[in-house]
Amino acid sequence: MSESAYKEMWENLNLDIAAHDGLLEVLGKFYGDIYMTQEGRLKGMEYLDFVLSEVHGLRIKELMDAKAEGKKIIGTFCVFVPEELSLAVDAVQVGLCAGADAGTEAAETIVPRNTCALIKSFIGFKMAKICPYTESCDLIIGETTCDGKKKAYEAFGEMAPMHIMEVPQRKEASDRILWKSEVLRLKDKLEEVTGKAVTAESLKKGIKIVNDKRRALQRLNKLRAAKPTPISGRDVLLINQVSFYDDPIRFTQSINTLCDQIEERIAKNEGIVPENTPRLMLSGCPMAVPNWKLPYIIEGSGAVVVAEESCIGTRNSRDLVDESGETVEEMIDALCDRYMKIDCACFTPNNERMDNIKALAKETGVDGVIHYSLMFCQPYTHEAFKVEKTLAENDVPMLAIETDYSMEDVEQLKTRIEAFVEMIS
Amino acid sequence: MSESAYKEMWENLNLDIAAHDGLLEVLGKFYGDIYMTQEGRLKGMEYLDFVLSEVHGLRIKELMDAKAEGKKIIGTFCVFVPEELSLAVDAVQVGLCAGADAGTEAAETIVPRNTCALIKSFIGFKMAKICPYTESCDLIIGETTCDGKKKAYEAFGEMAPMHIMEVPQRKEASDRILWKSEVLRLKDKLEEVTGKAVTAESLKKGIKIVNDKRRALQRLNKLRAAKPTPISGRDVLLINQVSFYDDPIRFTQSINTLCDQIEERIAKNEGIVPENTPRLMLSGCPMAVPNWKLPYIIEGSGAVVVAEESCIGTRNSRDLVDESGETVEEMIDALCDRYMKIDCACFTPNNERMDNIKALAKETGVDGVIHYSLMFCQPYTHEAFKVEKTLAENDVPMLAIETDYSMEDVEQLKTRIEAFVEMIS
């Protein structure tokens, strides 16, 4: 499709074309610097490069085509929103722009300055009219995973069609009941918005598609941890990011193809970096596109990231939905069980996360962990203390980083990360 | 009781005596400056002065005596914990120290620096061993009202016996069910800790005692708003603060006596300040003892506070528990209904708060509102935007303040508040 046809599409979405052009230019440059400079990349990454180059183009065109066919677009900001249900009503679910400083000044007129960068970003993208995903949505699903999002959605909801899911804060029987009622309320809402019913057949298909995506990511997460490391941490982060945007079936196929190539590389004992390169886990807050700052600094400091313990990482793919259900009721229960396994810092206690981090550190044989919190993210900054303690008990060193989307602290972060890498080398 | 007997009591509570002496000295000086310098105070305030002067002395002695009689002490940090249930198992419920910078450096080793002052305070008081209330407790009840507290309680719980109540985040039918299960779980816990059962008789009595306390505070809140203002805002804040510490029956009697005196004053058309003094509402986060910074600045800037829209204010006394229940089940339901009316910023949406603020502004005839948020308190800093908008629609000007417990910003706050008072005069 030509650039002018895209422009027309963006205009129809009521984007601020000049501001959006500026964003794409920065994004392209940033991607080039961080991704295209890498050596020895797998052929399968060309697919990801293409997806990223068309992230506001071809993929949006697909969404528009889907809308023309009567499908609805459902936007989300969180792994608690079951894509299975959106697929079961023949809708397309996409993650929304939240990974770059955009419209921050405008955002700060409706949410406090001491709000995390991710929240200010999605508010800013909306106010600046530069996220074609947000503007394509027929419905945006928020959730109560943190105070910042919970309250920001009230302001966001005045600008966009929203539905809020309440995520419980503990994992007792009564929380499971609340969560099930919220999953059912979402089902009703999706049926209302799409005019289509969730059936046993459509839900079974939705569950299979999303599980297959998770299986591909699980396969990737296992393979990436080989020694020597066959793929850069940046590339795997990108794949996890794209898993929220791309068509799930096409994505799964592409990642499985990539995994075949990784297996070939492993068989030849080839790595993207020397075998003795310090291996790190990134743990903590999600990194939405194009938030590649920290992995770029880490992998420029002589280390390699071999595990992502985050929502845009293992937290989103670790658990499958049980596929044995036959009725809608049974499958809804299976969905509820699976989503209540998420070890988000919104829960208290959240000991599962400590267990999962310990296990992941062991499985992937990391030399250290970098815990990443968005500044002002209370759930993850609090849990960083617990993670550090847990890892220390297992003789895994940890560095706690708090940052945002600005580039002001890059030099300072480099210094700290280089010192950490040196320490664990 | 002599000073040395107190010292022995504090030593038995394992307080850090030197640090605690330092705290009492600062507190005494602060109280003298802020409270004892006021002119034309009501005679009934002598009771409050006495309570404050004995806040770590006689009142703690009473708690120790209660413990000696086999009663249990239950500590809280939030208006969501039903005192009715504690009274129904013959326990004493007290609010814990959270209103002063204490042990902040220690606190920041286990919770993030970007945590609100109230949370760092209760952690710091515990780590510095200077809150005799915290040290007296047989059980401390936390709640999930905000991310900061929810996660900080995990760290706090490693130092003190805790029970966490989950407060839901919306007010749908499923939330009422969750809340009821949490109230019942608390009842079970209190029965277990005290070895006493909640009976229809004991719960009815508990409800009556707490409702009577609320009725006295409602009476006070109505009377304080007379023109000219019969009592300073500082004094009413103090009364609200003491309502969390003192014996509820004695407190209610004392406040009703004070209200009789206020009525006499009103009948004589006497005020604590000239009739044309600008009248302000304070709205937002709770101010725990001895957090008197903002009211002191406001009332030193030529204005008077005539309403407190906060948990240590109208939010805690506005709604009564229905007293018609006869069975434990009926009374538990009445409790649930009453507590779910709390218009805390933890709920989404929380439109009741906007309605209540509008109504309170109208009833008390304020010239303006000062919205007070603790720095890093996400629920209230977010809602400040909505409150400002709501008030603007009703032609009530608002000033939004974010601060903490330090004295560093006092001059800056003075300048801003004086300018605001001048604007509305």
Side-chain angles (χ1 to χ4, degrees):
Chain A
M1 211 169 133
S2 71
E3 194 62 32
S4 69
Y6 282 164
K7 199 180 158 203
E8 195 187 324
M9 176 176 78
W10 296 330
E11 277 170 352
N12 288 340
L13 282 170
N14 203 20
L15 294 193
D16 179 331
I17 298 296
H20 183 250
D21 283 351
L23 173 74
L24 288 192
E25 199 183 322
V26 172
L27 182 64
K29 163 116 185 43
F30 203 43
Y31 191 78
D33 289 348
I34 295 182
Y35 280 94
M36 304 311 284
T37 55
Q38 296 182 94
E39 282 175 22
R41 284 175 93 209
L42 291 151
K43 180 141 182 58
M45 287 308 296
E46 283 172 11
Y47 161 69
L48 280 305
D49 293 338
F50 177 70
V51 168
L52 243 280
S53 71
E54 288 288 345
V55 69
H56 282 202
L58 196 53
R59 183 61 184 141
I60 300 301
K61 171 73 169 53
E62 290 179 347
L63 299 187
M64 293 304 104
D65 291 346
K67 280 168 91 90
E69 287 169 25
K71 293 186 181 188
K72 300 294 179 185
I73 312 298
I74 310 297
T76 71
F77 298 107
C78 179
V79 299
F80 271 102
V81 183
E83 187 178 4
E84 294 88 343
L85 284 178
S86 292
L87 294 174
V89 289
D90 202 23
V92 182
Q93 185 166 310
V94 288
L96 303 182
C97 304
D101 266 338
T104 307
E105 214 169 300
E108 288 178 355
T109 65
I110 63 170
V111 297
R113 279 179 55 194
N114 289 352
T115 300
C116 87
L118 188 148
I119 294 170
K120 280 199 266 194
S121 176
F122 73 69
I123 299 262
F125 267 103
K126 175 72 199 168
M127 292 176 85
K129 296 185 186 173
I130 49 177
C131 175
Y133 291 91
T134 303
E135 301 310 320
S136 304
C137 285
D138 297 288
L139 183 67
I140 296 174
I141 317 289
E143 24 46 57
T144 63
T145 42
C146 68
D147 291 338
K149 284 208 268 178
K150 176 167 70 178
K151 300 309 281 185
Y153 289 142
E154 295 177 13
F156 193 81
E158 292 183 10
M159 304 181 287
M162 284 216 79
H163 173 88
I164 304 294
M165 288 190 91
E166 180 172 356
V167 176
Q169 304 178 76
R170 290 168 47 86
K171 293 186 177 178
E172 305 297 323
S174 49
D175 296 295
R176 173 64 168 67
I177 294 170
L178 178 75
W179 178 238
K180 184 170 177 183
S181 81
E182 288 296 288
V183 170
L184 290 171
R185 201 163 62 85
L186 176 66
K187 172 180 162 287
D188 291 347
K189 183 71 186 180
L190 289 171
E191 290 180 332
E192 177 202 317
V193 167
T194 60
K196 292 170 191 162
V198 171
T199 65
E201 193 191 1
S202 73
L203 186 51
K204 199 171 185 70
K205 196 174 152 198
I207 289 173
K208 177 75 167 56
I209 290 170
V210 185
N211 269 353
D212 283 346
K213 177 158 74 168
R214 292 188 189 113
R215 285 187 195 99
L217 289 167
Q218 287 175 355
R219 185 180 168 206
L220 174 70
N221 283 328
K222 206 157 186 165
L223 293 174
R224 76 180 292 192
K227 282 186 191 181
T229 314
I231 182 170
S232 73
R234 265 167 289 177
D235 279 342
V236 180
L237 173 60
L238 180 68
I239 294 166
N240 275 294
Q241 290 172 333
V242 166
S243 76
F244 290 88
Y245 293 80
D246 200 17
D247 174 79
I249 296 176
R250 178 175 59 204
F251 174 85
T252 301
Q253 286 170 344
S254 308
I255 300 315
N256 276 322
T257 302
L258 182 80
C259 284
D260 294 342
Q261 295 168 15
I262 298 180
E263 283 176 350
E264 288 167 26
R265 188 171 268 193
I266 292 172
K268 286 187 273 181
N269 205 33
E270 278 177 18
I272 190 103
V273 287
E275 186 153 1
N276 62 353
T277 304
R279 298 160 63 85
L280 293 179
M281 181 198 299
L282 257 176
S283 169
C285 287
M287 292 177 181
V289 171
N291 180 12
W292 305 305
K293 180 168 112 172
L294 211 47
Y296 183 50
I297 295 173
I298 293 169
E299 301 200 329
S301 301
V304 63
V305 176
V306 299
E308 247 102 34
E309 192 279 328
S310 86
C311 292
I312 304 189
T314 52
R315 197 173 343 282
N316 192 37
S317 58
R318 187 182 46 240
D319 305 306
L320 300 178
V321 177
D322 182 289
E323 292 182 11
S324 66
E326 291 300 332
T327 65
V328 171
E329 171 85 14
E330 284 167 359
M331 287 185 261
I332 291 281
D333 274 321
L335 276 185
C336 290
D337 290 342
R338 186 269 167 197
Y339 281 84
M340 282 297 279
K341 282 187 196 154
I342 297 175
D343 56 349
C344 174
C346 68
F347 291 105
T348 187
N350 188 32
N351 299 326
E352 300 95 303
R353 182 167 173 232
M354 303 308 131
D355 296 339
N356 287 329
I357 288 175
K358 256 189 295 186
L360 188 61
K362 203 172 168 189
E363 282 163 29
T364 54
V366 295
D367 302 302
V369 172
I370 294 191
H371 193 280
Y372 156 69
S373 303
L374 281 165
M375 210 173 289
F376 311 122
C377 169
Q378 298 191 346
Y380 282 95
T381 53
H382 275 269
E383 264 189 15
F385 290 87
K386 235 176 197 177
V387 172
E388 186 162 21
K389 204 174 151 197
T390 302
L391 288 168
E393 287 163 6
N394 292 270
D395 298 319
V396 180
M398 186 189 110
L399 174 67
I401 300 273
E402 269 185 64
T403 185
D404 55 20
Y405 294 168
S406 81
M407 293 297 146
E408 281 168 24
D409 60 351
V410 164
E411 288 308 317
Q412 193 203 343
L413 289 176
K414 267 186 192 164
T415 307
R416 291 183 62 201
I417 290 168
E418 282 168 8
F420 182 71
V421 170
E422 195 169 320
M423 188 193 83
I424 61 170
S425 293
Chain B
M1 210 171 136
S2 71
E3 194 62 32
S4 70
Y6 281 163
K7 199 180 157 201
E8 195 187 325
M9 176 175 79
W10 295 330
E11 277 169 352
N12 288 339
L13 282 170
N14 202 20
L15 295 193
D16 179 331
I17 299 297
H20 184 250
D21 284 350
L23 173 75
L24 287 190
E25 199 184 320
V26 172
L27 183 65
K29 163 112 184 47
F30 204 43
Y31 191 79
D33 289 348
I34 293 181
Y35 280 95
M36 304 312 282
T37 55
Q38 297 181 92
E39 282 176 20
R41 283 174 96 210
L42 290 151
K43 183 147 179 50
M45 288 306 297
E46 282 172 12
Y47 161 69
L48 280 303
D49 292 337
F50 177 71
V51 169
L52 244 281
S53 72
E54 289 287 346
V55 69
H56 282 200
L58 195 53
R59 184 61 184 142
I60 301 300
K61 172 71 168 58
E62 289 178 348
L63 299 188
M64 295 301 106
D65 291 347
K67 279 168 91 89
E69 287 169 26
K71 294 187 181 187
K72 300 294 179 186
I73 313 297
I74 310 297
T76 71
F77 298 107
C78 180
V79 299
F80 270 101
V81 183
E83 187 178 4
E84 293 88 343
L85 285 179
S86 291
L87 294 173
V89 289
D90 205 23
V92 181
Q93 185 166 310
V94 288
L96 303 182
C97 304
D101 266 337
T104 307
E105 214 169 303
E108 288 177 356
T109 64
I110 64 169
V111 297
R113 279 178 56 195
N114 289 351
T115 300
C116 88
L118 189 147
I119 293 170
K120 280 198 267 194
S121 177
F122 73 68
I123 299 261
F125 267 102
K126 175 72 199 168
M127 293 176 84
K129 296 185 187 176
I130 50 178
C131 175
Y133 290 90
T134 303
E135 301 310 321
S136 304
C137 284
D138 297 288
L139 182 68
I140 296 175
I141 318 288
E143 23 47 54
T144 63
T145 42
C146 68
D147 291 338
K149 284 208 269 178
K150 176 168 70 179
K151 299 309 283 186
Y153 289 143
E154 294 177 13
F156 193 81
E158 293 182 8
M159 305 181 286
M162 285 215 77
H163 172 90
I164 304 294
M165 289 189 91
E166 180 172 355
V167 176
Q169 305 180 75
R170 291 169 45 87
K171 292 186 176 177
E172 305 297 323
S174 49
D175 297 295
R176 172 64 167 67
I177 294 169
L178 177 76
W179 178 237
K180 185 169 177 184
S181 81
E182 286 297 288
V183 170
L184 290 171
R185 202 164 61 87
L186 176 66
K187 171 181 163 288
D188 290 348
K189 183 73 187 176
L190 289 170
E191 288 180 333
E192 176 202 317
V193 167
T194 61
K196 292 170 190 164
V198 172
T199 66
E201 194 190 2
S202 72
L203 186 51
K204 200 172 184 71
K205 197 174 151 198
I207 289 173
K208 177 74 166 56
I209 290 170
V210 185
N211 268 351
D212 283 348
K213 177 157 75 167
R214 292 188 189 113
R215 285 187 195 100
L217 288 167
Q218 287 176 354
R219 185 180 167 205
L220 173 70
N221 282 329
K222 203 155 187 166
L223 293 173
R224 74 180 294 190
K227 284 189 188 180
T229 315
I231 181 168
S232 73
R234 268 165 288 178
D235 278 342
V236 179
L237 173 61
L238 181 67
I239 293 165
N240 275 294
Q241 289 171 332
V242 166
S243 75
F244 289 87
Y245 293 79
D246 200 20
D247 174 79
I249 295 175
R250 178 174 60 202
F251 174 83
T252 302
Q253 286 169 345
S254 308
I255 300 314
N256 277 322
T257 303
L258 181 80
C259 286
D260 295 341
Q261 294 167 16
I262 297 180
E263 283 177 349
E264 287 168 25
R265 188 171 267 193
I266 291 173
K268 287 187 272 181
N269 205 33
E270 277 176 19
I272 191 105
V273 286
E275 187 154 0
N276 61 354
T277 304
R279 298 159 63 84
L280 293 180
M281 181 200 298
L282 257 176
S283 170
C285 286
M287 292 177 181
V289 171
N291 179 11
W292 304 306
K293 180 168 109 172
L294 211 47
Y296 183 51
I297 294 174
I298 294 169
E299 299 199 330
S301 302
V304 64
V305 177
V306 299
E308 247 103 33
E309 191 277 331
S310 87
C311 292
I312 304 189
T314 52
R315 197 172 343 279
N316 192 36
S317 58
R318 189 182 45 240
D319 304 307
L320 300 178
V321 177
D322 182 289
E323 292 182 10
S324 65
E326 291 301 333
T327 64
V328 170
E329 171 86 13
E330 285 167 357
M331 287 185 262
I332 292 280
D333 274 322
L335 276 185
C336 289
D337 290 340
R338 186 269 168 198
Y339 281 84
M340 281 297 279
K341 282 187 195 153
I342 298 175
D343 56 349
C344 174
C346 68
F347 290 106
T348 187
N350 188 30
N351 298 325
E352 300 95 302
R353 182 166 172 232
M354 302 308 132
D355 296 340
N356 287 329
I357 287 176
K358 255 190 295 186
L360 188 61
K362 202 172 169 188
E363 281 163 27
T364 54
V366 294
D367 301 302
V369 172
I370 294 190
H371 193 280
Y372 157 70
S373 304
L374 282 165
M375 210 173 290
F376 310 120
C377 168
Q378 299 192 345
Y380 282 95
T381 53
H382 275 269
E383 261 188 18
F385 290 88
K386 232 175 199 179
V387 173
E388 186 162 22
K389 203 174 153 197
T390 302
L391 288 168
E393 287 163 4
N394 292 269
D395 298 320
V396 180
M398 187 189 109
L399 174 67
I401 301 273
E402 269 185 66
T403 185
D404 56 19
Y405 294 168
S406 81
M407 293 297 147
E408 281 168 23
D409 61 350
V410 164
E411 289 307 316
Q412 192 203 344
L413 289 176
K414 267 186 191 163
T415 306
R416 291 183 63 200
I417 289 168
E418 281 168 9
F420 182 70
V421 170
E422 196 171 317
M423 189 194 81
I424 62 169
S425 295

